[in-house]
Amino acid sequence: MNLPQHTDPIVAIATAPGRGAVGIVRVSGQGLLPLARVVCAHPLKPREATYTAFLDADGAAIDHGLALFFPAPHSFTGEDVLELQAHGGTVVLQLLLARCLQAAAQPDSAGQPLLPHLRLARAGEFSERAFLNDKIDLTQAEAIADLIDASTEAAARSASRSIEGAFSKQIHGLREALVHFRVLVEATLDFPEEDIDFLRQADALGQLGALQEQLAALLQQAHQGALLREGITVVIAGQPNAGKSSLLNALAGAELAIVTAVPGTTRDRVQQTIQIEGVPLHVIDTAGLRDSNDEIEKIGIERAWDAIAQADAVLLLHDLTRLNATDYVAANADIVRAIAQKIPKNLSLLEVWNKADVAPMPASMAGLAVSAKTGTGLDSLRRALLTIAGWQPAGQGTFMARARHVQALRRVERHLAQARSCLVSVAPALDVLAEELRLAQQALNDITGEFTSDDLLGTIFSSFCIGK
């Protein structure tokens, strides 16, 4: 099987499907001017928009619009790039796309194809070309997709800062300091009789400590950036008729879940993503937890427990109006014990007391009092959810990050901790110390893509839209 080559010229419709005022067909490759001369009725000047007709094979106009030509290497992909901006109708753009492929195959004066091997671009291939041609690094490429997918202003601004290189610069700064320290350690391996004194005089422990402090600050920022992109999953759990569906509706500001006075109304999970200070929270309403003989309800309860086990946080909802009901209090205690046994130890549990508009919350109770009906306490609940997520008020320097970035930085953290253990031991094993530092640098390289597997690149860029 012949795999697509990174050197093949590529073409795609770069705008979203459907009707629009403007649609774009984008071409990237080497030597695109002959194609531009055939498709466009007027000659193009580099980096200058030209109003022209787009011609079919018979010289008739398919449409009129703007054409732009960006010669290599001064383009997004680092190759020649041709953009044809036409009216945004589906048929028009498909005709332009077909015309580019047709024109590329027609013979030139020497009888050779005008632009050999022109093919349709794969998802994300334009951004992949930019990465492979050193126009952007991997974090910037991912931030392009994150900017497109951003659902809040905070997420969009953070993704834009990542595209500008805010995250990359910090990674590069940390790596430079790490390389400097590696050089120091590697040098001692050549003079084993003087290694300890040499490291002490160079304040190796102090340099390593500075690296760890720099990493901790970067890790905190990356965690905030990952929250903006990934958010957290919060499950609302509790007994039937505690007000779980009403609370979901109140948090979402819409009637998403059916609310009745009949216990067991919610039979399956209902999920909605809400935004709090730009952080997406994926809130799941679940079936009330109780013993039931109803087969359908039992399935819903099993799914509720599955959702609880997979959540980042559980919001355990209680009913203030039933605090004097012996059966309710006993069932509540059983649910609390079951959740404590079944959920991971690192899972956050927030106890919330609903129906505060009807019954006051006793001072001895721990947790938050709210009213899903009137909205009392919802602001405090939102702030508590942000605290559980680990969110801090977004500053101007927040950049977008992904879970894989945080995981890589955690690996760096572990390798530096191992390096410190080596360094403070009675007889430092410098070869082990050097290896831990090398592994730490490799983890940093994985973030920006200096040394990244093809499988990872394929996974990342396949999530992009066509034409980007």
Side-chain angles (χ1 to χ4, degrees), residues 75-421:
S75 70
F76 172 69
T77 64
E79 304 171 331
D80 288 353
V81 171
L82 174 65
E83 286 196 356
L84 308 178
Q85 301 183 6
H87 291 94
T90 302
V91 173
V92 171
L93 295 178
Q94 288 293 342
L95 286 173
L96 274 180
L97 181 66
R99 173 57 179 146
C100 288
L101 291 167
Q102 179 191 49
Q106 74 182 51
D108 59 16
S109 58
Q112 299 299 316
L114 204 61
L115 188 62
H117 310 300
L118 178 67
R119 59 174 173 81
L120 295 175
R122 293 179 281 105
E125 193 167 3
F126 289 94
S127 296
E128 185 179 16
R129 293 281 177 98
F131 166 71
L132 293 172
N133 292 326
D134 296 324
K135 304 298 289 187
I136 55 175
D137 66 23
L138 201 52
T139 61
Q140 291 171 299
E142 290 169 309
I144 293 171
D146 294 336
L147 180 60
I148 293 171
D149 294 335
S151 57
T152 67
E153 180 182 351
R157 291 186 180 276
S158 296
S160 181
R161 280 188 283 271
S162 287
I163 292 174
E164 292 171 355
F167 188 20
S168 304
K169 288 175 184 175
Q170 294 208 43
I171 294 294
H172 290 312
L174 180 60
R175 185 170 57 229
E176 286 177 8
L178 178 57
V179 169
H180 177 78
F181 187 57
R182 280 192 66 193
V183 169
L184 171 67
V185 173
E186 296 283 353
T188 63
L189 294 175
D190 295 329
F191 305 97
E193 68 282 356
E194 301 177 4
D195 53 7
I196 303 302
D197 290 338
F198 185 63
L199 289 175
R200 286 173 180 167
Q201 291 171 5
D203 189 23
L205 196 57
Q207 290 191 44
L208 181 56
L211 274 172
Q212 290 178 300
E213 290 179 7
Q214 189 176 350
L215 172 63
L218 180 55
L219 190 52
Q220 174 61 28
Q221 287 182 284
H223 177 66
Q224 299 296 294
L227 276 177
L228 280 177
R229 182 181 188 275
E230 313 285 351
I232 66 168
T233 299
V234 179
V235 169
I236 305 176
Q239 294 190 57
N241 271 15
K244 298 184 297 298
S245 298
S246 297
L247 183 57
L248 172 64
N249 292 343
L251 288 171
E255 297 297 319
L256 302 172
I258 299 173
V259 177
T260 74
V262 179
T265 297
T266 301
R267 299 295 184 95
D268 204 352
R269 299 185 295 185
V270 179
Q271 179 170 334
Q272 176 67 19
T273 298
I274 64 173
Q275 307 286 345
I276 304 177
E277 292 189 18
V279 179
L281 271 70
H282 314 293
V283 185
I284 301 175
D285 174 28
T286 57
L289 302 176
R290 66 172 178 177
D291 293 328
S292 175
N293 293 321
D294 186 300
E295 289 300 319
I296 297 177
E297 186 180 1
K298 286 172 68 175
I299 294 173
I301 293 170
E302 290 176 3
R303 291 182 178 181
W305 282 113
D306 289 341
I308 289 171
Q310 297 171 16
D312 297 309
V314 173
L315 195 159
L316 182 56
L317 197 63
H318 306 291
D319 185 348
L320 284 171
T321 66
R322 289 188 274 174
L323 286 181
N324 294 323
T326 304
D327 292 346
Y328 175 80
V329 173
N332 233 20
D334 290 341
I335 291 172
V336 172
R337 282 194 295 271
I339 288 179
Q341 293 172 358
K342 292 185 178 183
I343 65 174
K345 292 183 179 180
N346 60 347
L347 185 68
S348 298
L349 178 64
L350 177 63
E351 297 199 55
V352 180
W353 301 85
N354 190 28
K355 306 182 184 179
D357 57 310
V358 180
M361 176 178 167
S364 60
M365 296 290 189
L368 293 174
V370 303
S371 170
K373 183 177 181 180
T374 66
T376 300
L378 289 187
D379 286 341
S380 296
L381 177 56
R382 292 186 181 100
R383 288 193 294 271
L385 290 172
L386 285 179
T387 299
I388 287 174
W391 177 251
Q392 297 177 354
Q396 291 300 313
T398 305
F399 50 75
M400 188 66 79
R402 296 188 173 200
R404 80 168 191 90
H405 303 147
V406 176
Q407 292 165 3
L409 290 173
R410 291 292 185 197
R411 294 203 307 273
V412 177
E413 186 179 47
R414 290 194 295 271
H415 290 307
L416 291 187
Q418 289 294 330
R420 173 173 284 273
S421 297

